[in-house]
Amino acid sequence: MILYDSPNPAPNPRRVRIYLAEKGLSVPLQTISIRDGEHRGDAFLQVNPLGQIPALVIDGADVLTESIAICRFFETLHPSPPLFGSGARGVAEVDQWIRRVELRLMTPLAMVWQHTHPFTARVVKPQYTDFGESQRPRVVAAMRECDTALASRDWLDGKGYSMADIVLLTTIDFAAFIGIAVPEDATALRDWHARASARPSAQA
């Protein structure tokens, strides 16, 4: 088993590293440099033709891609402690928050990244800068939605630290990297970020 990984600030491989750290699992890593374009090289494209990281090679042949799918694979093998919720309602609530963070926060954030950042200019052609800039208010609005939810709970699902929090943490940190900070008055989200960042797994 080999996990193809990329270092920070790449948010998706970091999700898997944090998940594995929370589970106390160790998986052999193969680092792929996005900065150097290794994810677009022939060697890695034979692993994942989409050129995206992470990718998990199982038994030297089967390949799983997409960070959530990879974590769900490990969750089935190592169900304790549960990071995708417990029971029908618990699992659904974690899934609900993963979807909200990915669709309402990460999607517009990705558009800002792809269409306004100089790093992506070499691969996103043409960049639609006006469109990218128009997505910044959507990112901030989604942060405020999370802030409202976290005003009454410590973690997103209201029960405990979960995969939803991992997805949010990596997204918020990536937003900071590209220049979109959590609003100063979003105190619940800021407090949550401090709690999540204080966990040892956040350093993965």
Side-chain angles (χ1 to χ4, degrees), residues 19 82 155:
Y19 173 89
W155 305 110

Side-chain angles (χ1 to χ4, degrees), residues 47-50 52 54-56 63-70:
V47 177
N48 182 5
L50 296 177
Q52 296 175 342
L56 180 68
V63 180
L64 270 179
T65 63
E66 309 301 336
S67 59
I68 299 301
I70 291 170

Side-chain angles (χ1 to χ4, degrees), residues 159-170:
K159 297 178 177 62
Y161 186 84
S162 75
M163 192 67 207
D165 298 288
I166 294 174
V167 173
L168 182 58
L169 177 64
T170 55

Side-chain angles (χ1 to χ4, degrees), residues 114-181:
Q114 291 175 20
H115 291 286
T116 71
H117 202 279
F119 180 83
T120 58
R122 60 182 181 174
V123 293
V124 178
K125 297 179 181 181
Q127 280 187 315
Y128 297 103
T129 306
D130 289 345
F131 168 70
E133 292 295 344
S134 75
Q135 299 302 294
R136 289 181 187 271
R138 291 186 60 199
V139 173
V140 174
M143 288 179 176
R144 292 194 180 282
E145 292 172 5
C146 293
D147 177 67
T148 297
L150 288 163
S152 60
R153 59 188 70 180
D154 286 341
W155 305 110
L156 274 179
D157 75 343
K159 297 178 177 62
Y161 186 84
S162 75
M163 192 67 207
D165 298 288
I166 294 174
V167 173
L168 182 58
L169 177 64
T170 55
T171 305
I172 292 292
D173 287 347
F174 186 66
F177 170 75
I178 66 174
I180 306 179

Side-chain angles (χ1 to χ4, degrees), residues 6 11 20 27 55 74 98-99 113 125 144 152 191:
S6 290
L20 293 174
V27 177
F74 285 112
I98 290 173
R99 293 285 288 171
W113 166 245
K125 297 179 181 181
R144 292 194 180 282
S152 60
D191 289 346

